[in-house]
């Protein structure tokens, strides 16, 4: 079941909760699906509710604690109300939602992390408008993700959780989300490369049909993806220098590896952009050459028609003294003159065309 469609019909008071999962401290125990009601009860009992006054915390085992992942649809107006009522999230997260910030960033807010990630829509069709934003807030026990449009990254992560993938911590869940995002974007780059290969083959075979529009669309997509994703590695690097106290060394190494994957992907995007730019220049040169050939043909036709137009204008004047008017072969003499001038003009035009640059 995709992120675009809920896994089951939600109750009216589920407040835009698309999916919710409880991950247990025991590694062998699979994740448990949660509803909005059960999540609110868990948050209240663990002291993570906005109305709770103490932090008793969920049951611990081996130094680890249970945590929740709740994924919301911001198109539902009840989502923010539910979060403000049941989740003690930092004001920075709500400010990011209100302002609609879309530039990628990851920053600390006290003991929490607030992240803004960008991804392609679930119904992605290689349009630069098919890019949406995912807002994330997490601490040691809770991960909140929110979006306005279905995203492929979240859909892939949900499928992995249903198949038994259970992250050991909230930071590991963030790492899984980032790696899944990187995998989705790598597929986008690969599919874009295949499209560019087809266009390049068509250009070289001179059987292209309006390739400039297709190349421009692909380049706009890559530019927007790179512009939205470029801050992410730098933001992660700054975060890893001063991580929250609950983030372990394994979590730091995992996030650092995810950041390196993003850096490699951004370099691949830049290389593909340069290649598209070269193709655009080659197509533009071919179009200019075609226009030049068309202009040359038009000029030659105009030059070839010039003698007959001049003579027709002169002999067409209804005045006395027109030469050859009484001559029995005057018509053929004029035709011979026009043909001679036309041949000389054509020879001069094509001779100049054949001269090397």
């Amino acid at each position: 079941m995709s992120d675009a469609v809920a896994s089951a019909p939600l109750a009216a008071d589920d407040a835009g909760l698309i999916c919710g999962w409880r991950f247990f401290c025991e590694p062998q125990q699979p994740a448990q699906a949660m509803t909005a009601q059960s999540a609110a009860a868990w948050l209240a009992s663990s002291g993570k509710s906005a109305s709770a006054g103490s932090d008793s915390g969920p049951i611990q085992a081996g130094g680890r604690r249970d945590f929740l992942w709740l994924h919301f649809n911001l198109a539902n107006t009840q989502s923010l109300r539910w979060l403000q009522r049941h989740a003690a999230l930092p004001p920075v997260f709500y400010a990011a939602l209100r302002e609609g910030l879309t530039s990628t960033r990851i920053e600390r807010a006290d003991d929490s992390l607030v992240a803004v990630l960008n991804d392609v829509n679930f119904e992605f069709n290689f349009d630069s408008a098919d890019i949406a934003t995912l807002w994330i807030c997490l601490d040691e026990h809770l991960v909140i993700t929110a979006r306005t449009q279905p995203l492929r990254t979240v859909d892939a992560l949900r499928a992995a959780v249903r198949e038994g993938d259970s992250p050991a911590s909230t930071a590991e869940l963030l790492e899984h989300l980032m790696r899944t995002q990187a995998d989705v974007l790598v597929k986008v780059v690969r599919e874009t490369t295949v499209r560019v290969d087809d266009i390049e083959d068509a250009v070289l075979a001179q059987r292209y049909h309006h390739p400039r529009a297709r190349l421009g669309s692909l380049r706009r997509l890559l530019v927007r993806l790179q512009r939205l994703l470029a801050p992410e590695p730098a933001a992660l690097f700054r975060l890893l220098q001063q991580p929250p106290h609950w983030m372990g060394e394994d979590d730091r190494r995992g996030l650092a590896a995810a950041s390196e994957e993003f850096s490699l992907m951004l370099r691949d995007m830049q290389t593909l952009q340069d290649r598209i730019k070269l193709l655009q220049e080659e197509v533009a040169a071919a179009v200019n050459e075609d226009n030049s050939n068309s202009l040359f043909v038009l000029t030659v036709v105009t030059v070839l028609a010039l003698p007959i137009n001049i003579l027709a204008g002169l002999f067409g004047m209804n005045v006395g003294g027109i030469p050859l008017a009484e001559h029995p072969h005057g018509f053929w003499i004029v035709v011979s003159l026009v043909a001679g001038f036309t041949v000389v003009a054509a020879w001069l035009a094509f001779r100049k065309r054949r001269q090397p640059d």
Side-chain angles (χ1 to χ4, degrees):
M1 193 72 65
S2 70
D3 182 34
V5 181
S7 57
L10 295 175
D13 56 347
D14 268 359
L17 180 66
I18 299 173
C19 68
W21 298 94
R22 177 181 177 181
F23 299 93
F24 296 91
C25 46
E26 295 85 359
Q28 68 277 8
Q29 189 169 357
Q32 174 187 353
M34 303 286 285
T35 63
Q37 293 80 5
S38 60
W42 188 91
L43 292 172
S45 65
S46 64
K48 295 301 295 176
S49 174
S51 59
S54 63
D55 187 4
S56 57
I59 300 175
Q60 301 187 36
R64 289 183 172 179
R65 309 179 71 181
D66 299 354
F67 68 93
L68 292 187
W69 172 36
L70 304 178
H71 182 50
F72 286 89
N73 179 14
L74 294 177
N76 190 317
T77 56
Q78 299 296 323
S79 297
L80 281 178
R81 297 180 183 178
W82 191 97
L83 290 173
Q84 292 170 347
R85 179 179 179 183
H86 297 288
L89 303 179
V92 176
F93 178 70
Y94 295 112
L97 293 181
R98 287 194 303 269
E99 297 171 6
L101 299 177
T102 58
S103 59
T104 298
R105 63 173 182 168
I106 301 179
E107 60 184 20
R108 284 189 59 177
D110 297 329
D111 286 336
S112 302
L113 295 182
V114 176
V116 179
L117 303 182
N118 291 278
D119 190 21
V120 297
N121 291 354
F122 186 79
E123 299 294 340
F124 178 69
N125 60 355
F126 286 89
D127 192 330
S128 60
D130 292 337
I131 301 175
T133 303
L134 179 69
W135 291 271
I136 307 172
C137 183
L138 70 152
D139 57 20
E140 188 177 4
H141 315 293
L142 178 64
V143 178
I144 298 293
T145 57
R147 54 78 169 168
T148 56
Q149 299 177 7
L151 302 175
R152 287 195 174 187
T153 294
V154 178
D155 181 72
L157 183 58
R158 288 178 61 191
V161 172
R162 283 195 297 267
E163 293 174 0
D165 188 359
S166 296
S169 64
T170 57
E172 186 175 336
L173 179 64
L174 176 62
E175 177 194 343
H176 283 207
L177 187 64
M178 294 178 60
R179 290 185 182 276
T180 305
Q181 181 193 29
D183 293 339
V184 170
L185 295 177
V186 164
K187 292 180 181 178
V188 172
V189 173
R190 288 176 178 172
E191 293 177 10
T192 304
T193 302
V194 172
R195 293 181 177 225
V196 173
D197 290 341
D198 294 339
I199 295 175
E200 185 177 25
D201 293 340
V203 170
L204 294 177
Q206 296 184 349
R207 51 181 175 82
Y208 49 87
H209 300 284
H210 306 292
R212 288 188 295 176
R214 296 172 59 191
L215 288 172
S217 177
L218 294 175
R219 188 178 178 187
R220 284 193 299 271
L221 170 66
L222 294 176
V223 167
R224 188 177 180 198
L225 279 174
Q226 189 175 34
R227 184 174 66 247
L228 292 175
L229 295 174
E232 191 164 276
L236 265 177
F237 178 79
R238 290 193 300 268
L239 170 65
L240 295 178
Q241 301 306 307
Q242 294 180 339
H245 68 87
W246 46 265
M247 185 179 293
E249 186 62 29
D250 291 341
D251 295 331
R252 292 181 58 183
R253 286 196 295 266
L255 290 175
S259 176
E260 183 62 27
E261 289 185 13
F262 268 100
S263 299
L264 293 175
M265 183 188 62
L266 291 175
R267 285 196 288 269
D268 291 341
M269 282 187 179
Q270 184 60 52
T271 302
L272 188 55
Q273 286 182 51
D274 295 338
R275 183 182 173 193
I276 292 177
K277 183 178 179 181
L278 291 176
L279 274 177
Q280 286 179 315
E281 293 176 353
E282 184 171 350
V283 171
V287 171
N288 290 334
E289 184 176 357
D290 291 341
N291 292 337
S292 178
N293 291 334
S294 300
L295 183 60
F296 172 75
V297 172
L298 180 62
T299 303
V300 169
V301 170
T302 304
V303 170
L304 296 181
L306 185 61
I308 191 171
N309 288 333
I310 294 176
L311 290 179
L314 291 175
F315 283 91
M317 294 186 295
N318 191 16
V319 295
I322 296 178
L324 304 177
E326 304 298 332
H327 197 285
H329 302 291
F331 172 78
W332 296 110
I333 294 174
V334 172
V335 169
S336 301
L337 291 174
V338 170
F341 280 119
T342 302
V343 170
V344 172
W347 178 76
L348 291 175
F350 285 102
R351 176 175 175 272
K352 184 177 180 180
R353 182 71 172 181
R354 289 193 297 266
Q355 286 180 353
D357 296 334

